[in-house]
Amino acid sequence: MDRSTFTGLFLILIILVGSFYLTKPSEEEIKKEQQRQDSIALVQTEAPKESLSDSLAQQSQLATEVDSSTMRGPFGAARMGSEQLIVLENELIKAEISSKGGRVKSVEIKGDKTFSGAPLILYQGDQNRFGLIFTTSENVLINTNDFYFQSQGDNNNYIVQNQDGKELTMRLSYNANQYVDYVYTLKSNSYQLGLTIMTKGLQNIASASTKELILQLATSLPQKEQDLNDERQKSTAYFKELNGDVEDLSTTKDDSETLPSKTEWISFKQHYFSSVLINDNGFDGGDIKVMTSTNDTIVKSFVANVNLAFNKQEINTYPLHFYFGPNKFHTLKDQGHDLEKQVYMGWGPMRWINRLVTLPVFNALESLNWSYGLIILALTILIKIALSPLTYKSYLSMAKMRVLKPEMDQIKEKVGEDNQTLLQQEYLKLYKQAGVNPMGGCIPVLLQMPFMMAFFFFFPNLFELRGESFLWMKDLSTYDSLISFSTVPILNLNHISLMCILMTCATLLTTWYNNAVSGAAGQMKYIGYIMPLVFFFVLNSYPSGLNYYYFLSTCFTFLIQFFIRRSVNDEKIHAMIQANKKKPESAKKKSTFQKRMEDYMRQQQQKGQKG
């Protein structure tokens, strides 16, 4: 590989490595920011029971302290009670509805487990809040999360299998004609839990100035994956403007956003699972916040306050629905509402490569019911075959430069290294006579770079690999640990990945072969060995599926280059170059690079003459 190729690749790799480390917050920064946030949001170490939002929620909690005066206030009879749980369950999810707040207390995703093998509970217990907030005509702040609802009908659990669905109504009563209903519906084989909020007679309870109700959601999501730091880096809040685009908050620091005036949905997204609240008519604005917890069992905490338009009429109805499920691209896409945009596929051309090429090919291979290790193998082979013309063109260009090297050395010896302008002019004449483009080996490599980088985003966000094993790798969605040890502070290293070692060794072998073929020397030679070692520390904690792909890709690249090397005859290339030298200048086609270099050299000559 020539100097230009190495220089281009080196700069690209430096940018990647630099951006990775510069955007990653330190533990000290996370803890410092968390301390600041503690003044406005409570994230307790075991089970947060207070509000995670602002003073509005804090006032609500104070307003619900039980004493003789509050018992006589609005919904006073519902301020005390005992919690009862009713289960809504189908083939995919199991949701517990609590009489305390009438809210969804916990959701289990069936068929999935945490990294430790425990049932996968999306969120649970008092780590989540859900309630309507408004002020009464007596200037009492109400948060329905703190009141006890009553189920309408029996209190039996509902199991939905191969049925149209079940409905559960939880009611917060003021009197027989004034109440708030949460109507839950669950259909068979669905990750969606319907929720219709209906208020009756509330216009006579709420203050005259009330134009909207605030619906508050807050939760702290427990760890589900092996690598907590990686799970935090891929967890944040998302929202979508009605008839607009999907937006997300920062993944690397605490963040908050004011929601658009019409917001279609909000989402609390963990790495591989999401809790989404959807309003087809749109919420009337609000705010959303995400915070990193200092608790080593909590990934992040989320708070959202969304507004529901309140009309001064007998009945107000708000049809909503939840999505509780995996961040699997096609599963999210089937829900509608652009939920699949929560699956990060990279930026710029990498996103379109993954969505239009990689994902369809992967799904086609998945339909063959192979193991995912074999699917990645087949995907690698197909990609390498598709890119082989570029690989061949790159190698052929490097072979031409290798054949020209003796003549370039003669020119360098004759002209010397002191006058770089003259040296480049002589090189340019040689390139022109031989019909060789010195950038011809670099351009095909750069064209392949987006495909290589696309997988850097594809595999770490691919739900299908979660929990899938291959060879010694127990889970392709996270790192394989050959050796584990106490964390090394400077390197932030607590394990060694065997697949990452194999990938690094394969890259070093390929670099050695390229150096031997191209005759690279000096700093170019050593850069090729340094970069794989740098990337070992970067990729050591990345999914074993990604390192497995890079290992296969490097091995196939080595084989392709080996066979191309055997098929390319340097003597024929030399004869072709010599024949091209004998052609008249008018018959030689100049490359864009040659034209630009000629213009540059001409400008340098003019400056030298003026000087």
Side-chain angles (χ1 to χ4, degrees), residues 576-594:
M576 181 182 66
I577 289 176
Q578 298 305 318
N580 194 69
K581 286 182 179 181
K582 297 177 182 180
K583 293 181 181 179
E585 291 296 324
S586 58
K588 295 179 181 179
K589 183 179 180 180
K590 295 181 182 179
S591 67
T592 303
F593 171 81
Q594 289 173 329

Side-chain angles (χ1 to χ4, degrees), residues 1-10 394-395 398-399 401-402 441-442 445 510-511 513-521 524-525 557 561:
M1 191 175 292
D2 62 15
R3 179 185 295 268
S4 299
T5 302
F6 269 116
T7 302
L9 290 178
F10 178 72
S394 176
Y395 188 88
M398 287 190 292
M401 293 298 295
R402 184 175 63 250
C442 184
V445 172
T510 303
T511 301
Y513 179 76
N514 286 335
N515 287 343
V517 171
S518 63
M524 291 297 104
K525 179 179 179 180
T557 297
Q561 289 180 346

Side-chain angles (χ1 to χ4, degrees), residues 112-120 224:
D112 289 297
K113 303 290 184 181
T114 66
F115 73 97
S116 62
L120 196 145
K224 298 175 178 61

Side-chain angles (χ1 to χ4, degrees), residues 286-341:
D287 58 80
I288 192 167
K289 182 186 301 183
V290 58
M291 297 159 286
T292 302
S293 174
T294 56
N295 187 339
D296 289 338
T297 66
I298 298 298
V299 178
K300 285 186 178 179
S301 297
F302 301 81
V303 179
N305 296 302
V306 292
N307 303 324
L308 300 173
F310 182 70
N311 298 316
K312 299 295 183 178
Q313 56 190 29
E314 182 70 12
I315 295 176
N316 284 275
T317 303
Y318 309 97
L320 314 172
H321 53 280
F322 289 100
Y323 169 82
F324 297 118
N327 293 327
K328 189 175 182 179
F329 187 87
H330 284 289
T331 300
L332 290 172
K333 190 172 183 179
D334 290 342
Q335 313 303 314
H337 307 282
D338 292 330
L339 293 186
E340 72 278 5
K341 291 186 177 180

Side-chain angles (χ1 to χ4, degrees), residues 340-352:
E340 72 278 5
K341 291 186 177 180
Q342 294 183 96
V343 181
Y344 187 57
M345 290 286 184
W347 49 270
M350 278 75 76
R351 179 174 70 249
W352 296 111

Side-chain angles (χ1 to χ4, degrees), residues 563-579:
F563 286 112
I564 291 176
R565 166 66 174 161
R566 293 180 65 89
S567 64
V568 173
N569 189 313
D570 285 3
E571 293 182 358
K572 290 183 178 180
I573 293 177
H574 184 267
M576 181 182 66
I577 289 176
Q578 298 305 318

